[in-house]
Amino acid sequence: MIPFLDLNEINKPCLGAIEEASLRVLRSGWYILGKELQAFEKSFADYCDAEYCVGVANGLDAIGLILRAYDFPEDSEIIVPANTYIASVLPVSYLNLIPVLVEPDPVTMLIDPGQIEAQITPQTRAIVCVDLYGRSCEMDVIMDIANRNNLKVVTDAAQAHGAFYQNKKVGSIAHATAFSFYPTKNLGALGDAGAVTTSDTELAEKIQYLRNYGSKERYKNDYQGVNSRLDEIQAAILNVKLPFLDSDNARRREIARRYLAEIKPENLVLPPADRIYEDAWHLFVIRHTNRAALVHHLDKAGVQTNVHYPLPVHKQKAYADLNHLELPITEKIHNQVVSLPLNPVLTDQEVSHIINAVNSFENPQ
């Protein structure tokens, strides 16, 4: 069976360096808000072409801390994509803000800029974009909409480490960008970890305080903050792995290029191929009207798949107040998507096997 993702293999090339970095932190006696974090924050800010990086505990907190730092009034409206993981929406709700779901473009499956403006009201304060599957949203259009309406733009780039949009690095385009370094991400830690990048000095400073109980000076708290700090061990591990990110993404693009060129079955929708060399290809998501049959076929052929995601936010029990919404494009996508294995440790032979397995699928009548 070709696994969907083998984290042991992913981390093997830098395992020795990870062990050395972890031992260095262990022996230092300093485990929170120290030199390892400072080093990673500088390295990742430079990598993203951003002025600042603030390490936090996870990607969900990264979004929440950005929104908290902007201090929007309660019941402000925040535009969010309907086609996303629930973690992109939860921080909006935690702060008693109102998520306004916008349908995706049916081709890219990302938030449709053409539908954003119709959802803007006097209560709208921000647009949260999600660079789903490793592809950047249409940021020139979205930033123009935001600037004309005096809105903030927050990007959830949990799946887009190293992606570009019009030759600009994701992490440098929006007013603020949230990253997750969950172990399965293109740049993955060995536990939960996250970060915010921005070139807004005031915002970066406020998030630095908010992540540490709202404190600038020990035992003096300027804000009602939270405990959300990227620890020294995870920061050290991420600093070890960051130099591998570009080559890993290059391999992902090579595999995606083969999938796009060689997968040929009827009634199968492939992701768009117009930005092969800008997308980070965190996931390779295909669509079929008979997903269950396709997944069963691939499993029998020795290919493990995944579904990102089977149930949209507005149909979740956690969002019962949104269950009445009818978002047909989003619902169609969630009923059809299948993610194929796509990671830098796949061999050429495994890629060929996956392609042949997909191409051998015959849709039962």
Side-chain angles (χ1 to χ4, degrees):
M1 174 71 74
I2 298 173
F4 182 76
L5 184 64
D6 186 338
L7 290 179
N8 281 329
E9 289 298 315
I10 290 285
N11 290 313
K12 187 179 290 185
C14 49
L15 186 59
I18 288 173
E19 291 173 343
E20 181 180 333
S22 300
L23 187 58
R24 181 177 68 245
V25 175
L26 178 64
R27 288 174 171 169
S28 75
W30 195 287
Y31 309 125
I32 298 289
L33 297 180
K35 294 179 180 179
E36 301 288 350
L37 176 60
Q38 292 172 9
F40 174 70
E41 288 176 331
K42 183 181 186 310
S43 296
F44 197 66
D46 291 345
Y47 179 84
C48 292
D49 295 330
E51 289 294 322
Y52 307 99
C53 169
V54 183
V56 299
N58 52 68
L60 184 144
D61 282 1
I63 301 170
L65 284 165
I66 295 168
L67 296 175
R68 185 183 291 267
Y70 280 131
D71 199 22
F72 298 127
E74 285 193 10
D75 296 331
S76 294
E77 295 176 357
I78 309 296
I79 290 174
V80 295
N83 181 40
T84 188
Y85 184 54
I86 196 170
S88 305
V89 184
L90 286 172
V92 177
S93 303
Y94 292 161
L95 294 170
N96 294 317
L97 307 173
I98 300 172
V100 178
L101 304 185
V102 173
E103 285 267 62
D105 179 296
V107 176
T108 66
M109 299 185 280
L110 306 180
I111 192 169
D112 185 350
Q115 297 195 43
I116 290 176
E117 204 142 16
Q119 300 298 326
I120 295 174
T121 74
Q123 286 71 48
T124 307
R125 295 292 180 270
I127 303 167
V128 174
C129 309
V130 181
D131 294 339
L132 208 58
Y133 316 137
R135 180 185 177 95
S136 172
C137 296
E138 300 291 329
M139 293 305 295
D140 56 341
V141 181
I142 293 171
M143 293 300 293
D144 178 65
I145 292 170
N147 290 334
R148 285 189 284 105
N149 291 277
N150 195 28
L151 304 176
K152 296 298 184 182
V153 177
V154 178
T155 299
D156 175 352
Q159 299 184 1
H161 313 86
F164 291 83
Y165 180 74
Q166 296 183 351
N167 296 317
K168 295 179 182 178
K169 272 277 183 73
V170 165
S172 68
I173 306 169
H175 295 115
T177 303
F179 288 91
S180 166
F181 304 117
Y182 187 74
T184 61
K185 306 302 185 185
N186 290 32
L187 177 60
L190 299 191
D192 281 316
V196 173
T197 60
T198 183
S199 292
D200 182 331
T201 303
E202 184 178 345
L203 182 70
E205 186 176 75
K206 191 171 182 180
I207 293 172
Q208 287 174 341
Y209 303 160
L210 286 171
R211 72 176 175 185
N212 188 38
Y213 302 106
S215 175
K216 177 180 181 180
E217 183 180 347
R218 195 175 188 187
Y219 302 132
K220 293 184 180 180
N221 303 79
D222 297 335
Y223 306 101
Q224 294 180 14
V226 298
N227 177 9
S228 181
R229 301 170 300 207
L230 175 57
D231 68 71
E232 289 287 278
I233 288 181
Q234 298 303 336
I237 290 169
L238 288 166
N239 241 343
V240 166
K241 296 184 69 177
L242 181 57
F244 292 81
L245 179 56
D246 283 344
S247 60
D248 284 352
N249 281 351
R251 176 58 178 164
R252 289 174 180 272
R253 292 176 180 124
E254 182 181 341
I255 295 168
R257 187 172 65 246
R258 283 198 61 190
Y259 283 164
L260 290 165
E262 299 177 40
I263 292 177
K264 299 294 184 182
E266 297 179 358
N267 302 318
L268 191 69
V269 180
L270 300 180
D274 57 320
R275 289 202 229 146
I276 291 178
Y277 297 104
E278 288 199 318
D279 296 357
W281 295 103
H282 175 64
L283 298 171
F284 193 92
V285 179
I286 61 177
R287 291 165 52 191
H288 197 281
T289 54
N290 195 341
R291 176 172 65 201
L294 176 58
V295 169
H296 179 69
H297 167 80
L298 292 175
D299 185 68
K300 286 182 64 177
V303 177
Q304 186 181 45
T305 58
N306 211 326
V307 175
H308 300 89
Y309 300 95
L311 190 65
V313 173
H314 71 286
K315 295 301 180 184
Q316 298 282 354
K317 184 177 179 181
Y319 279 97
D321 58 320
L322 301 179
N323 287 174
H324 68 283
L325 293 178
E326 294 184 7
L327 299 168
I329 300 174
T330 296
E331 290 163 23
K332 182 178 181 180
I333 287 170
H334 281 254
N335 287 331
Q336 294 181 354
V337 289
V338 179
S339 299
L340 300 180
L342 176 59
N343 60 76
V345 299
L346 285 174
T347 67
D348 289 342
Q349 292 78 10
E350 287 173 327
V351 173
S352 295
H353 180 89
I354 293 164
I355 292 167
N356 291 334
V358 177
N359 284 343
S360 67
F361 174 63
E362 295 182 2
N363 187 23
Q365 301 300 317

